[in-house]
Amino acid sequence: MNVSKLALILAVLLVASSALKTDYERFQQNIFNDAETANDDNPNVNTLWFDQTLDHLDDQDQRTFKQRYYSNLEFCKTDECTIFIQIGGEAPESDRWVQQGYMYELARKLGDVALYDLEHRYYGKSTPFEDYATHNLHYLTSKQAVRDLAKFAQYLKTIHKGKIAAFGGSYPGNLAAWIVEKHPDVFDCTLSASGPVEAKDNYFEYGEQIDESLLLIDGYYPCCHESTALAMKEIQSMDIETLNAKFNTCHPVQDKMSFWYAASDGVAGPIQYASSPKYPQFAYCDGICNAESATDYMIERVRADLGAAEGECADVDVLTQLLDNEDTSRLWFYQKCNEFGYFKVGEGIPTWPNLDLPWFHTLCEQAYGKLPNIKDTNDYYKGLNPENVSEKVFFTQGLLDPWRRLGIGPTHGQHYNVGQVDTAHCAPLYASNEKDHQDLVLMRKTLDNFFEKCLA
């Protein structure tokens, strides 16, 4: 029985994107806004559907759902095509992955490669159920997603006879490592870019890295750190009435930390996706340093990020969104409350708000009735010590990236293939650009050699 026929019809009626944007959603917006526009009429690109198993962990459950994927066979010339798979993450997937970016450029360079991009279960149009009620989210786990990728790859092997490589950044970077750890017989090599493979509940290091990155960027924008710290301090000092007025909320919000959480996103996004401090073209710092009021600039950035145009109200209340069974915010937050934590807490960090762990845990309990099992996740995937990946996975990190503290980086180099670039989140996956810093150019050459060797 296919459980997603109705869900597929209703998917377009669900909220297309939430005010609570995920890191992968921001990543896709950033990478495709920066790159050249893909050809929407490319005859080589197809949108297809795979009959995916709903529950890989129960052999008695025969239910399936339609999982969306994209293909591009413009470089595939023989039956022996190498298979490249872009791993989807916590947002709707885009066909641009099979038309631009590092995976596409590598395929063009190697030749005889079939390009695919698999959307993550529950996201975009790969929706098994008609809404996101908690009982329907039971199958939204990384364990299921890893098995989705293995089954999809095995299906592609019936079409093409070549080796299989996969590419993922951020949470899909985790999956890129875990599919090799759990299915070393299926995947020949993968790229894990900026993957936070270590689950952690109380992730205070995120805010610390934001603060450190702003200090690095201060070499070109001496006021950026100071202005951000001032804005964050003033926002946290406002009473609830002032916060509602300043943010022009759609309805009165009584929870100050919802505003602080929104403010954290206002600074996290531009820093997480900043270019190298050696390449100082940074709109965020330029804006906040030249604004008449750093605080007002920060608030307007946050409102715009929440989708509120000038004069429109902003939806700031986190819990209200998480209690809405048709809001896509529930998906990634559920994964965090169930498996990963990744809660960006802070205390005493100048450019990061004082978000505390009890606030996040209360959201988890009220929205889903559960708290993350961090130990189970790290025991299952081995955290920063994954198995079976030393030869088949290449891990990259960015110097400015606040997620690098949970990833495999240079300190693990004696055991794994690793590289760090003087940029930020997932930079090696971007399309090459004449303005790329030299260390990113060299990193891509290293990756080219890695894939050429493992796919030979």
Side-chain angles (χ1 to χ4, degrees):
M1 178 177 62
N2 192 304
V3 299
S4 66
K5 288 181 180 178
L6 176 61
L8 189 58
I9 296 171
L10 294 176
V12 296
L13 301 178
L14 294 175
V15 180
S17 71
S18 168
L20 297 178
K21 292 181 180 178
T22 67
D23 288 297
Y24 188 67
E25 185 177 0
R26 295 176 190 279
F27 169 46
Q28 287 196 114
Q29 290 174 345
N30 199 58
I31 188 172
F32 297 136
N33 284 342
D34 284 354
E36 62 187 44
T37 302
N39 181 5
D40 292 332
D41 298 320
N42 189 336
N44 299 297
V45 175
N46 291 292
T47 302
L48 302 164
W49 302 91
F50 182 62
D51 286 326
Q52 186 61 266
T53 300
L54 178 64
D55 187 1
H56 297 280
L57 305 179
D58 183 357
D59 292 337
Q60 302 303 312
D61 190 339
Q62 298 300 307
R63 289 176 295 172
T64 63
F65 69 98
K66 293 290 186 182
Q67 189 166 23
R68 181 169 61 173
Y69 69 99
Y70 300 104
S71 71
N72 183 350
L73 303 184
E74 67 178 293
F75 304 125
C76 180
K77 305 302 181 184
T78 72
D79 291 341
E80 302 296 322
C81 275
T82 299
I83 301 165
F84 280 7
I85 302 174
Q86 186 72 37
I87 301 171
E90 67 277 20
E93 205 63 4
S94 168
D95 64 1
R96 293 173 186 263
W97 284 115
V98 296
Q99 300 183 72
Q100 61 191 47
Y102 176 71
M103 182 181 76
Y104 178 83
E105 293 178 356
L106 181 62
R108 182 171 55 195
K109 183 179 299 184
L110 297 180
D112 206 25
V113 174
L115 293 162
Y116 292 93
D117 175 19
L118 183 66
E119 189 167 65
H120 195 292
R121 58 168 54 209
Y122 282 80
Y123 293 94
K125 293 187 178 179
S126 300
T127 310
F129 300 102
E130 62 270 21
D131 65 24
Y132 308 129
T134 301
H135 66 272
N136 285 335
L137 301 181
H138 177 70
Y139 309 100
L140 176 55
T141 68
S142 62
K143 292 179 181 178
Q144 299 284 1
V146 165
R147 288 166 173 82
D148 286 347
L149 285 158
K151 183 175 179 179
F152 181 65
Q154 290 166 334
Y155 161 71
L156 294 180
K157 287 286 284 185
T158 67
I159 303 173
H160 313 288
K161 307 305 179 185
K163 292 185 176 182
I164 301 181
F167 305 75
S170 199
Y171 163 56
N174 294 2
L175 299 176
W178 295 339
I179 56 177
V180 173
E181 181 181 26
K182 300 303 179 182
H183 300 278
D185 57 325
V186 177
F187 297 91
D188 295 287
C189 44
T190 67
L191 168 59
S192 172
S194 301
V197 294
E198 176 90 350
K200 186 172 185 182
D201 207 18
N202 188 23
Y203 189 33
F204 64 87
E205 294 93 338
Y206 187 99
E208 286 185 344
Q209 184 60 54
I210 290 291
D211 197 70
E212 289 181 17
S213 295
L214 278 167
L215 288 171
L216 283 173
I217 294 169
D218 253 16
Y220 292 98
Y221 292 94
C223 68
C224 196
H225 181 276
E226 180 182 359
S227 296
T228 301
L230 173 63
M232 203 64 72
K233 181 179 180 180
E234 289 188 352
I235 288 172
Q236 291 183 97
S237 68
M238 293 177 183
D239 59 38
I240 198 68
E241 290 78 14
T242 304
L243 286 168
N244 276 282
K246 283 281 191 179
F247 282 80
N248 188 17
T249 54
C250 295
H251 57 83
V253 179
Q254 300 305 317
D255 174 19
K256 281 189 176 183
M257 285 201 183
S258 280
F259 293 97
W260 301 357
Y261 184 76
S264 73
D265 272 351
V267 64
I271 301 301
Q272 184 165 307
Y273 298 105
S275 36
S276 168
K278 299 175 184 176
Y279 188 71
Q281 294 186 358
F282 197 13
Y284 168 77
C285 286
D286 189 55
I288 200 166
C289 286
N290 291 295
E292 184 175 338
S293 165
T295 304
D296 288 345
Y297 176 80
M298 172 77 77
I299 291 173
E300 285 308 308
R301 277 194 62 92
V302 171
R303 281 177 35 77
D305 195 48
L306 293 172
E310 186 176 356
E312 293 181 349
C313 68
D315 190 358
V316 178
D317 193 341
V318 176
L319 182 59
T320 297
Q321 295 175 63
L322 294 183
L323 291 176
D324 182 351
N325 288 341
E326 294 188 349
D327 194 317
T328 56
S329 298
R330 285 181 56 78
L331 298 176
W332 181 235
F333 227 93
Y334 174 84
Q335 289 194 260
K336 293 194 293 184
C337 291
N338 186 37
E339 296 184 84
F340 304 125
Y342 294 157
F343 299 127
K344 303 168 187 175
V345 302
E347 184 177 354
I349 304 171
T351 56
W352 196 253
N354 294 321
L355 297 166
D356 60 42
L357 190 60
W359 181 73
F360 286 104
H361 279 186
T362 297
L363 291 174
C364 290
E365 291 173 327
Q366 291 183 332
Y368 313 107
K370 62 169 56 193
L371 294 175
N373 192 333
I374 302 299
K375 183 177 185 303
D376 179 71
T377 301
N378 287 331
D379 286 349
Y380 184 74
Y381 294 117
K382 309 299 187 245
L384 293 172
N385 300 286
E387 300 173 347
N388 303 319
V389 304
S390 60
E391 300 296 327
K392 291 188 172 186
V393 182
F394 201 107
F395 298 90
T396 66
Q397 302 294 339
L399 179 65
L400 298 181
D401 186 9
W403 288 109
R404 72 180 177 89
R405 309 271 190 107
L406 295 180
I408 293 174
T411 57
H412 307 91
Q414 59 186 2
H415 304 294
Y416 305 104
N417 296 302
V418 298
Q420 180 167 281
V421 290
D422 198 5
T423 56
H425 200 56
C426 302
L429 288 175
Y430 284 54
S432 58
N433 188 300
E434 62 180 10
K435 297 178 181 178
D436 286 337
H437 193 268
Q438 186 61 26
D439 67 344
L440 181 56
V441 174
L442 293 175
M443 175 57 66
R444 290 202 182 101
K445 289 182 179 179
T446 299
L447 291 172
D448 289 353
N449 293 333
F450 168 75
F451 281 107
E452 288 172 1
K453 181 179 179 180
C454 75
L455 295 172

